[in-house]
Amino acid sequence: MERIILGIDPGTTIMGYGVIIIREKKLELVTMGVLKLHKLSEHEDKLKRIFERTVALIEEYHPDELAIEAPFFGKNVQSMLKLGRAQGVAMAAALSRTVPIFEYSPRKIKQSITGRGSASKEQVALMLQSIMKFEQPPEYLDATDGLAAAVCHYFQKNPGKPEKKFTGWQAFLSENPDRKVG
């Protein structure tokens, strides 16, 4: 059985996305990229473009699920508000096409990919490059952030359920043989 997951890293300057397909428990990269919104001056135009691009991705790749990064709490309230709107518009696009949505905190995504919730964007990109076997990291790390949301969702055995605790690396690896790299 195949499953397609669209991952989105929302943003009002750059929105990152990644699409993966799971075939027989094997992960494959379909595409990743960014939507650049620098040239649009009006916030409403950016939101419209985010909605349109998300719908276009859904119509092109027919994902079974959408994994999206949740806005993080920061000091700049205006930035948080704009980011929340960008996330909401991407979610509305998925809802308009009846695609189930799964939301993950930035820390959860980083931890899922690298094992460390405080990992840098570069560390996430390098780990994804190893897991997904792509040659060059993209020009914008927002693309790997969108991909990371999709891969994080794949790694979740039971989205929305409490995480299982492990006593060490050996216990983790014995429960997750598909997470071994190399």
Side-chain angles (χ1 to χ4, degrees):
M1 190 171 109
E2 291 185 351
R3 190 169 116 208
I4 298 170
I5 303 170
L6 168 61
I8 290 186
D9 175 37
T12 55
T13 306
I14 298 178
M15 178 187 89
Y17 62 86
V19 179
I20 59 172
I21 188 167
I22 298 94
R23 289 188 179 115
E24 298 175 15
K25 295 189 179 185
K26 291 198 174 143
L27 212 54
E28 294 177 36
L29 174 65
V30 175
T31 191
M32 70 175 149
V34 295
L35 169 63
K36 297 178 192 173
L37 302 159
H38 298 98
K39 294 180 181 175
L40 299 173
S41 58
E42 296 299 318
H43 186 64
E44 294 80 11
D45 293 336
K46 292 179 181 191
L47 296 176
K48 181 177 184 256
R49 189 73 57 87
I50 291 167
F51 184 88
E52 291 169 346
R53 182 63 178 133
T54 304
V55 166
L57 288 166
I58 291 167
E59 289 178 352
E60 182 174 356
Y61 297 106
H62 307 284
D64 298 294
E65 298 156 327
L66 172 83
I68 192 164
E69 185 174 305
F72 55 90
F73 297 100
K75 293 178 182 174
N76 187 329
V77 176
Q78 283 299 318
S79 293
M80 284 177 46
L81 180 62
K82 287 179 180 177
L83 186 57
R85 287 176 179 164
Q87 183 204 31
V89 166
M91 292 170 79
L95 291 170
S96 77
R97 298 304 188 263
T98 63
V99 176
I101 300 164
F102 298 86
E103 185 177 10
Y104 298 97
S105 71
R107 184 171 189 78
K108 175 71 174 177
I109 292 171
K110 291 174 183 180
Q111 186 174 19
S112 178
I113 303 301
T114 69
R116 285 186 42 238
S118 61
S120 68
K121 284 179 170 275
E122 292 80 11
Q123 289 169 321
V124 170
L126 284 171
M127 185 59 79
L128 284 170
Q129 191 173 359
S130 175
I131 294 169
M132 302 302 296
K133 311 284 188 239
F134 54 88
E135 302 243 342
Q136 287 284 0
E139 180 181 356
Y140 295 95
L141 294 178
D142 304 85
T144 48
D145 287 349
L147 177 61
V151 174
C152 170
H153 181 63
Y154 165 74
F155 284 155
Q156 304 309 302
K157 300 285 187 220
N158 296 304
K161 301 260 169 127
E163 243 184 37
K164 197 172 191 179
K165 300 291 181 199
F166 298 99
T167 56
W169 275 111
Q170 287 304 98
F172 176 80
L173 291 174
S174 68
E175 286 284 324
N176 298 282
D178 57 323
R179 299 282 300 271
K180 291 180 187 179
V181 177

